[in-house]
Amino acid sequence: AMQIRRFLLEQQSKGPTVAPSLYSSLKFLRDHLKADLPLDDAILSEFKQKYLKHLPEQARPLTLKVWRYLMMVGRRGDELGKATVMVLRVLVSNLRFLHTRRASLLPGMSDERIQVWQVSEGKDGAPFRIAVPTHLHESWPAIQDLQDWLENRFGPCAREIMVFEVVLVGMDRVILTGRRCSGQRFILFLRALLQRPPLQLSDEEVELITTYSLRRTPPSAADAMGLPQCDRDGLGNWRDASSRKEPMSVRYSSYRLHASADTKRLIVRALSHAAEHYPDGEISRLSGIRPHIERMKFELSRAEWGSGAEVLPIPSPPQRAPRASDAADSFGRS
């Protein structure tokens, strides 16, 4: 029992649920394989108790005031602004943070409207690609500007690292290293960022914010907007743990990454629009966007959001070939 306790305590540093999950696995082995494991010993009770009630309330999506604040800080031209756009890139990508650490940029597949990243290993062990829209607002290619800035500062490695390690010093100074950021460092920076004025979230509020808060924001927004199932599935690359294949309409589409980015771009626009009208609101306020979705899609097709998808002119009526009867008079005579 002492050896098991020592092992579980060593694993606790990897996350609050790691040790309880391992305890559960050991219990499974004992019960099903009749392994002689002293898991009922009193010195292991703390792990059993944590296992029974370690499931906290799911991380909540970011509120509209947090989104508005991140967009405001992201527009700064300094390093703090760039680091904030890096946070927004993680949010809009809708990737698990672990997968951002396995992502590399594919410049040959990227264009003025999307950045394409390849994740070397997904949840099912297979690689996959995701698209991130280059623009976060009209005429503001924030994601592409960030990538250009990172490559100018760190060189080619900026195409191999999606999130660089960043530390906030004081209120406005950040230290960006050339190393890949860990999940813990990322959360420390994000929480410190959200406690800056004018937002100034409390300690209790930022404790509820994790990387999953970012990941839950786009799907929650898509649901509130009433987007079709296919659009919502596109946020997750049209795959889940129960299916190793995408729908045929997706699997054979060469436009699938752009389609995914179109949904993400629409959500970005909707979040900003809702935040203007409900600065203290929740994601549920995006339900008020529903009557305007088609107009927003038209707006997002303009070159101000990246060229390449502009709306074509209305087709002219087809020209009918002249017929012999066209020359006949009212009596049918030619």
Side-chain angles (χ1 to χ4, degrees):
M2 284 298 297
Q3 289 179 328
I4 294 175
R5 175 179 169 78
R6 190 179 303 113
F7 168 72
L8 294 176
L9 288 174
E10 289 173 355
Q11 303 306 309
Q12 274 188 330
S13 61
K14 298 179 180 179
T17 65
V18 174
S21 296
L22 288 171
Y23 176 88
S24 173
S25 298
L26 292 172
K27 188 173 182 296
F28 178 88
L29 292 173
R30 184 196 67 178
D31 296 343
H32 291 79
L33 300 180
K34 308 304 179 184
D36 187 16
L37 296 172
L39 297 178
D40 294 325
D41 195 293
I43 63 173
L44 299 176
S45 60
E46 61 180 291
F47 302 106
K48 182 178 180 180
Q49 291 170 358
K50 285 185 179 179
Y51 170 69
L52 290 174
K53 55 185 180 183
H54 84 272
L55 293 174
E57 181 181 358
Q58 280 194 312
R60 296 181 180 180
L62 300 183
T63 61
L64 294 179
K65 70 177 180 180
V66 171
W67 170 264
R68 190 179 188 185
Y69 170 78
L70 291 174
M71 291 284 283
M72 178 191 73
V73 179
R75 283 189 173 273
R76 295 171 51 136
D78 58 6
E79 291 188 351
L80 178 60
K82 299 300 183 186
T84 303
V85 174
M86 195 160 57
V87 171
L88 288 167
R89 181 162 68 176
V90 173
L91 188 158
V92 177
S93 75
N94 206 220
L95 282 173
R96 299 175 68 211
F97 191 82
L98 175 63
H99 289 162
T100 68
R101 293 174 54 82
R102 303 172 184 170
S104 56
L105 182 66
L106 298 178
M109 298 189 66
S110 304
D111 57 34
E112 291 190 31
R113 289 181 70 83
I114 64 171
Q115 275 185 5
V116 179
W117 292 79
Q118 175 148 314
V119 178
S120 60
E121 182 182 349
K123 209 170 183 180
D124 59 0
F128 66 93
R129 293 169 181 166
I130 60 102
V132 184
T134 54
H135 288 60
L136 293 181
H137 203 275
E138 185 179 64
S139 301
W140 184 36
I143 303 299
Q144 187 56 53
D145 288 349
L146 168 67
Q147 187 62 33
D148 294 341
W149 185 84
L150 289 172
E151 290 186 24
N152 183 60
R153 172 145 183 190
F154 296 113
C157 76
R159 297 183 178 183
E160 303 298 324
I161 300 177
M162 192 176 197
V163 186
F164 283 87
E165 185 179 69
V166 57
V167 179
L168 182 61
V169 181
M171 289 293 178
D172 294 295
R173 180 169 172 259
V174 297
I175 298 174
L176 269 166
T177 73
R179 297 189 296 270
R180 186 174 278 107
C181 192
S182 67
Q184 184 178 13
R185 281 282 190 187
F186 183 81
I187 285 300
L188 287 175
F189 169 72
L190 177 58
R191 290 175 175 175
L193 177 65
L194 299 182
Q195 291 194 297
R196 291 178 64 259
L199 188 61
Q200 294 179 301
L201 295 187
S202 66
D203 291 342
E204 292 75 17
E205 288 175 309
V206 296
E207 281 297 320
L208 298 176
I209 293 177
T210 70
T211 57
Y212 282 95
S213 302
L214 274 61
R215 192 159 191 248
R216 285 173 60 82
T217 300
S220 300
D223 281 347
M225 294 164 64
L227 296 185
Q229 183 68 43
C230 184
D231 289 348
R232 286 180 282 162
D233 289 344
L235 294 172
N237 205 36
W238 293 279
R239 296 175 69 171
D240 58 37
S242 63
S243 176
R244 296 183 65 86
K245 287 188 176 182
E246 310 91 344
M248 186 187 70
S249 58
V250 173
R251 188 160 66 252
Y252 293 105
S253 171
S254 59
Y255 194 76
R256 56 181 293 172
L257 291 171
H258 276 278
S260 174
D262 286 345
T263 301
K264 295 173 181 178
R265 191 179 297 109
L266 178 61
I267 289 171
V268 165
R269 181 68 185 93
L271 284 167
S272 295
H273 184 71
E276 291 176 11
H277 295 276
Y278 303 106
D280 296 319
E282 300 290 335
I283 291 292
S284 58
R285 285 292 189 178
L286 267 73
S287 59
I289 296 289
R290 296 184 183 191
H292 313 304
I293 286 178
E294 293 305 317
R295 182 182 62 80
M296 282 186 170
K297 287 181 178 180
F298 180 82
E299 171 192 328
L300 294 172
S301 69
R302 301 202 311 251
E304 287 84 355
W305 289 86
S307 62
E310 294 81 6
V311 174
L312 296 173
I314 297 175
S316 302
Q319 297 295 320
R320 185 168 58 86
R323 294 178 300 187
S325 59
D326 292 343
D329 59 18
S330 58
F331 297 100
R333 297 173 299 199
S334 299

